Amino acid sequence: MKYSEWEKWYNKILEDFAFSKDDDEKTANILNEILDKQGFIKLENVLNNLHNDNLAIHKSCSNKSDIKNFIVFGAGPSLKKHIELVKKKCLVEDYILIVADGATSALLEENIVPDIIVTDLDGNIDDLMLANDLGSVFILHAHGHNLENILKYTKKLKKVLGTTQSKPLSNLYNFGGFSDGDRAVFLALAFGGEKIVLAGMDFGIMTTKYSRPNLTSEIAEADEVKQKKLKYAEELVEWVKNNENVEIINLSQDLD
């Protein structure tokens, strides 16, 4: 999605959620400065950085730079069921695995290290850091509400590509997308994805402990803000279906 197209969505989101564009840009500028000093991965180099030598963890094949098929894992109620389906069908080797933030924990529980993590650092930080140590590339997103975590964790990370929901900067990309899950879809498009399988992306009113680590139960009804975010995610994925030359299969809708 070109920024000119995304900006229309962005302005609507700012108004609908009463978010501060100034706060978004402040955090983006700070992340931009940090990455300028410590270095970052450019988009064209991400797929060449997916190799992982930790043989104790089930990891996909060492060379995925030519693969155009992606699985995007959201943190919805169907996530664990869909991970089992992916394992049963042995799809790990033939797809690039992109996870949305907290879904990282669910994959690690099944001894799968994701290839790429799309995160704004509100998932289980210990699991996110572990996955990064094990080889996952971080697509680190800056927005107005995660400045504290950007300052606290960015310098500890390896293999980072930065993103923003405001105007792109010298070291930060904007591929389009709002929540971690739909931004992961737009990221796959930026890699030239031809087929994108959505796992654990239910777009309903329920949330899970993977999306909200402070939940006392496995699953619960999402709060109003979360439900609104899921609605936007669904609409943005639908935009992709209608405007991009890509096959999208949602395991929650197409196979259940």
Side-chain angles (χ1 to χ4, degrees), residues 59-73:
K59 186 67 175 68
S60 47
C61 58
S62 60
N63 185 3
K64 286 192 168 185
S65 59
D66 295 326
I67 293 178
K68 299 298 183 181
N69 298 332
F70 295 79
I71 301 177
V72 172
F73 293 89

Side-chain angles (χ1 to χ4, degrees), residues 144-163:
H145 295 127
N146 70 340
L147 176 58
E148 181 179 351
N149 280 349
I150 290 288
L151 290 170
K152 185 175 181 178
Y153 295 108
T154 303
K155 294 179 181 179
K156 301 177 183 179
L157 298 170
K158 315 162 197 173
K159 298 197 295 187
V160 178
L161 180 150
T163 63

Side-chain angles (χ1 to χ4, degrees), residues 83-131:
I83 293 174
E84 288 298 322
L85 181 62
V86 167
K87 291 171 64 177
K88 181 179 179 181
K89 292 184 175 294
C90 301
L91 301 180
V92 173
E93 297 293 336
D94 300 319
Y95 286 76
I96 294 172
L97 310 182
I98 307 180
V99 298
D101 210 328
T104 302
S105 299
L107 270 72
L108 291 179
E109 289 170 0
E110 300 297 329
N111 292 324
I112 300 174
V113 179
D115 294 305
I116 299 169
I117 299 172
V118 174
T119 178
D120 61 356
L121 300 175
D122 68 356
N124 183 304
I125 290 294
D126 289 339
D127 286 345
L128 292 171
M129 300 296 285
L130 173 60

Side-chain angles (χ1 to χ4, degrees), residues 131-254:
N132 186 238
D133 285 340
L134 292 171
S136 299
V137 175
F138 252 51
I139 310 300
L140 181 57
H141 190 63
H143 59 67
H145 295 127
N146 70 340
L147 176 58
E148 181 179 351
N149 280 349
I150 290 288
L151 290 170
K152 185 175 181 178
Y153 295 108
T154 303
K155 294 179 181 179
K156 301 177 183 179
L157 298 170
K158 315 162 197 173
K159 298 197 295 187
V160 178
L161 180 150
T163 63
T164 174
Q165 58 195 34
S166 50
K167 190 174 181 178
L169 300 172
S170 56
N171 304 322
L172 268 63
Y173 295 83
N174 187 330
F175 306 112
F178 177 37
S179 69
D180 294 317
D182 58 275
R183 280 191 289 107
V185 173
F186 282 96
L187 177 68
L189 287 174
F191 288 132
E194 297 174 355
K195 180 179 181 181
I196 303 174
V197 176
L198 307 182
M201 294 185 69
D202 304 286
F203 303 127
I205 64 170
M206 306 302 289
T207 190
T208 69
K209 65 176 184 178
Y210 300 113
S211 178
R212 292 289 186 265
N214 293 328
L215 277 184
T216 57
S217 58
E218 296 284 325
I219 184 173
E221 184 172 339
D223 59 41
E224 183 180 351
V225 172
K226 178 63 175 179
Q227 289 188 35
K228 192 188 296 186
K229 288 182 178 180
L230 289 169
K231 185 63 176 176
Y232 266 99
E234 185 175 23
E235 291 176 359
L236 282 160
V237 170
E238 191 64 27
W239 183 94
V240 172
K241 290 180 180 179
N242 294 331
N243 292 275
E244 299 288 348
N245 185 24
V246 61
E247 178 185 7
I248 294 184
I249 297 173
N250 190 332
L251 298 182
S252 292
Q253 298 170 355
D254 300 327

